[in-house]
Amino acid sequence: MTRYIFITGGVVSSLGKGLASAALGALLQSRGFKVRLRKLDPYLNVDPGTMSPTQHGEVFVTDDGAETDLDLGHYERFTGVPARQSDNVTTGRIYQTVISRERRGDYLGATVQVIPHVTDAIKEFIASDVTDEDFVLCEIGGTVGDIESLPFLEAIRQFGNERGLAQTLFIHVTLLPYLPSSGELKTKPTQHSVKELLSVGIQAGLLLCRADQPIPETERAKIALFCNLKREQVISALDVDTIYQVPISYHEEGFDDQVLGYFGLQDAPPPDLNRWQDIVQRIRRPEGEVTIAVVGKYTSLIDSYKSLSEALTHGGIANNVRVRLRWVESEVFEREDPVTHLEDVHGILVPGGFGERGTHGKMQAARFAREHRVPYFGICFGMQMAVIEAARTLAGLSDATSSEFAPADDPVVGLMTEWVRENTVETRSSDSDKGGTMRLGAYRATLAPDSLVASIYGETDIQERHRHRYEVNINYRERLESAGLRFSGLSPDGALPEIFEMPDHPWFVGVQFHPELKSRPFAPHPLFTSFIGAAIQQSRLV
């Protein structure tokens, strides 16, 4: 029997529902249960693919080509369970489904309404693509009380009634703010949030209370009394110094015990948290430190690069060093000398992005790394900018550019119009819709056996996740390779450059895909492990 756990949030946004879901999934998994995690988002976009990173954060991409919420990255990193298309749905996608059915006449002349048609579609999503999972954890985006969340709350209320208490549990995440002036944690916001949830027919079975101060027993008892719960059902969720401490802290607070007790599974074996403790120890007591400059376009919101920053942390864990990140807005190099920001770093990473803004700065960062022999890692757009910089500076192609910036007769980086996915040819044009039309998801690449990247991966046939519309023009391969670049990874048909490296540089690698999406704390991505290893070597020279 599959049990469903719904995680809602109240008081304020950004309380960490995604991390709470991921940590609970990891705890249940460590106790022998099979888990699945999914996210229900209340915004009207069909998916986050067309949303600004500075508003929404990064777009996480799954193997099967879904553009999803960044919380799915937390789910994968904590549990290792690959997310799928069916693990993230938005109001936009729900309404798209309902309207398509109405146009086909599926509702047989009925007046289409939020209840039952929209809520039925949401319930279908919750239960879809579930096989033998013991637990499905569903995080509800937004905050209780938001008008956008109402259809989802009504849907999970109905779902709970239909499946029964033995199969459903509602967990509510709230904030206990600390007021220095009175020297106390305030419980009233939590009480009001639970009351708001109850007003739509949902009784929270567990409360997860975020706080930056220990919660006194008197306050915990007070919350329990006013929220119709037992004292042990009020779980303290204090701030921690690393997110990988969260599963340990939640277990110490009895979170997983309460969940299993609710479902009558209290006899499950205790969790093995040794690997989490090892990760935390490595983070807290590293043997060294390196500084990595991340030269990006969306540094005003660090969540724009959430998977990237975590992957760099994983690379540090693998090398037992602390990775200090220096976030540099790429446009700054259009006004200032890169030396000011980069002369003391041990590695430079230029991540993905879209549009012409800040491109000169990214090319300046690549040139600095190349000329000063600093380890360089270019990802997606960062690869393309490094190629254009080398084409202009080394290959004599002074007009080298990308058709993403302006029309060009023969661009070094151009719009992809055709590629192969699972033996099917996909085509696009400049007039295609923006949403969901990129080269998305996992694609294979073949590596040159004697290349640096082949030695890093330990194999020549790899599969990585992509999210891009533009690609380095293979017709320039010979010209660029004669200038010092080597295209050491290609698509299986040899038509698309996937990786380039500079053999005469200590570590200079550009990849068209997003390796950060597959990095895990217990299985750091080999490219990030190698990059941080190269940064360690650089630190000994600086």
Side-chain angles (χ1 to χ4, degrees):
M1 178 178 70
T2 300
R3 300 160 184 86
Y4 293 84
I5 300 174
F6 298 99
I7 298 96
T8 57
V11 184
V12 296
S13 60
S14 300
L15 276 180
K17 298 191 303 296
L19 273 176
S21 303
L24 178 58
L27 286 170
L28 294 173
Q29 191 181 59
S30 70
R31 301 187 73 157
F33 296 101
K34 185 175 181 181
V35 300
R36 186 80 176 275
L37 293 97
R38 43 189 37 164
K39 177 78 181 287
L40 289 72
D41 272 312
Y43 48 76
L44 281 170
N45 304 66
V46 173
D47 59 45
T50 57
M51 297 168 70
S52 168
T54 55
Q55 286 190 22
H56 181 265
E58 79 166 0
V59 174
F60 189 80
V61 178
T62 61
D63 280 336
D64 59 1
E67 294 178 287
T68 72
D69 184 81
L70 64 82
D71 279 324
L72 272 73
H74 290 314
Y75 305 162
E76 281 203 15
R77 284 188 287 273
F78 275 67
T79 67
V81 178
R84 308 176 203 164
Q85 285 264 6
S86 55
D87 289 329
N88 190 202
V89 75
T90 67
T91 298
R93 200 165 128 209
I94 292 294
Y95 273 90
Q96 187 181 62
T97 299
V98 170
I99 291 170
S100 295
R101 290 175 178 174
E102 185 273 331
R103 293 290 83 189
R104 288 196 306 266
D106 292 1
Y107 297 121
L108 300 176
T111 301
V112 180
Q113 298 176 289
V114 172
I115 302 172
H117 302 98
V118 170
T119 52
D120 282 352
I122 295 171
K123 289 186 291 182
E124 286 174 22
F125 164 78
I126 292 169
S128 68
D129 198 19
V130 174
T131 53
D132 59 344
E133 286 83 3
D134 298 300
F135 290 95
V136 174
L137 283 67
C138 293
E139 175 193 350
I140 314 300
T143 307
V144 169
D146 295 345
I147 192 170
E148 296 93 342
S149 299
L150 288 175
F152 289 101
L153 296 176
E154 172 60 18
I156 64 175
R157 182 196 69 79
Q158 293 177 19
F159 193 95
N161 280 345
E162 293 163 6
R163 298 291 177 123
L165 294 176
Q167 208 175 343
T168 54
L169 167 65
F170 298 97
I171 297 174
H172 194 48
V173 185
T174 70
L175 175 68
L176 266 63
Y178 177 76
L179 296 185
S181 58
S182 61
E184 60 182 347
L185 289 168
K186 305 304 291 185
T187 66
K188 194 63 69 177
T190 289
Q191 294 176 43
H192 282 303
S193 184
V194 172
K195 182 180 179 181
E196 185 76 30
L197 190 63
L198 196 58
S199 72
V200 295
I202 297 173
Q203 168 65 56
L206 287 176
L207 280 185
L208 193 62
C209 298
R210 290 295 312 278
D212 59 3
Q213 305 279 336
I215 304 174
E217 286 304 310
T218 54
E219 301 305 293
R220 196 185 298 242
K222 182 179 179 181
I223 294 169
L225 177 65
F226 281 97
C227 297
N228 300 318
L229 295 170
K230 297 178 181 177
R231 177 228 156 270
E232 58 269 22
Q233 293 172 315
V234 179
I235 309 297
S236 173
L238 298 181
D239 294 347
V240 291
D241 58 343
T242 169
I243 61 172
Y244 300 117
Q245 171 67 29
V246 173
I248 300 170
S249 297
Y250 282 179
H251 175 66
E252 290 172 348
E253 291 293 330
F255 190 22
D256 50 323
D257 289 329
Q258 286 298 316
V259 169
L260 294 177
Y262 175 90
F263 289 111
L265 299 171
Q266 55 268 23
D267 294 331
D272 181 2
L273 299 177
N274 287 332
R275 65 177 190 167
W276 290 103
Q277 290 163 346
D278 178 60
I279 292 294
V280 171
Q281 285 296 98
R282 284 173 171 265
I283 291 173
R284 288 176 176 167
R285 296 187 179 137
E287 294 178 355
E289 180 176 298
V290 295
T291 300
I292 304 297
V294 181
V295 183
K297 298 173 61 172
Y298 316 118
T299 56
S300 60
L301 181 66
I302 304 305
D303 270 357
S304 301
Y305 303 110
K306 188 60 182 174
S307 291
L308 183 68
S309 62
E310 292 306 314
L312 287 163
T313 297
H314 304 161
I317 291 170
N319 287 279
N320 208 17
V321 296
R322 176 178 289 112
V323 179
R324 297 283 188 191
L325 299 183
R326 180 179 299 173
W327 300 97
V328 183
E329 175 62 46
S330 59
E331 285 183 288
V332 76
F333 295 152
E334 297 173 8
R335 305 183 301 272
E336 301 175 21
D337 190 330
V339 173
T340 307
H341 299 271
L342 303 177
E343 63 179 345
D344 60 340
V345 303
H346 309 123
I348 297 169
L349 190 150
V350 177
F354 296 91
E356 189 174 7
R357 181 182 67 82
T359 55
H360 177 71
K362 291 195 172 192
M363 283 187 266
Q364 288 286 85
R367 181 170 184 171
F368 179 93
R370 180 175 57 78
E371 293 180 344
H372 292 77
R373 300 181 66 77
V374 177
Y376 177 85
F377 196 177
I379 295 177
C380 195
F381 200 63
M383 171 195 179
Q384 296 171 9
M385 294 305 97
V387 168
I388 291 175
E389 189 280 321
R392 291 178 179 180
T393 309
L394 301 178
L397 299 168
S398 58
D399 295 328
T401 189
S402 169
S403 60
E404 183 173 2
F405 310 151
D409 293 333
D410 198 15
V412 171
V413 175
L415 178 70
M416 301 178 67
T417 57
E418 184 177 294
W419 63 88
V420 177
R421 180 177 181 86
E422 298 178 351
N423 300 318
T424 301
V425 176
E426 296 197 22
T427 59
R428 300 288 188 272
S429 73
S430 57
D431 297 325
S432 296
D433 288 347
K434 296 296 184 186
T437 59
M438 288 184 276
R439 187 175 183 232
L440 293 166
Y443 287 87
R444 288 179 52 233
T446 302
L447 310 183
D450 60 341
S451 63
L452 170 63
V453 288
S455 67
I456 291 172
Y457 276 97
E459 57 183 318
T460 57
D461 187 18
I462 64 169
Q463 191 173 75
E464 294 282 2
R465 297 179 188 178
H466 293 67
R467 183 176 183 250
H468 60 109
R469 284 192 182 86
Y470 296 84
E471 177 76 47
V472 175
N473 189 338
I474 192 67
N475 295 328
Y476 284 97
R477 178 181 180 181
E478 184 176 343
R479 183 82 176 263
L480 290 167
E481 290 194 330
S482 66
L485 280 67
R486 184 188 184 189
F487 289 93
S488 52
L490 301 171
S491 57
D493 60 5
L496 302 176
E498 295 277 16
I499 305 174
F500 89 90
E501 56 190 62
M502 288 190 169
D504 64 346
H505 190 282
W507 207 99
F508 198 107
V509 175
V511 299
Q512 185 56 70
F513 45 83
H514 289 269
E516 70 271 21
L517 300 177
K518 294 181 70 172
S519 188
R520 311 283 181 265
F522 311 113
H525 194 285
L527 286 173
F528 284 93
T529 299
S530 180
F531 176 57
I532 297 302
I536 293 171
Q537 295 300 317
Q538 180 71 15
S539 70
R540 294 168 181 163
L541 301 175
V542 174

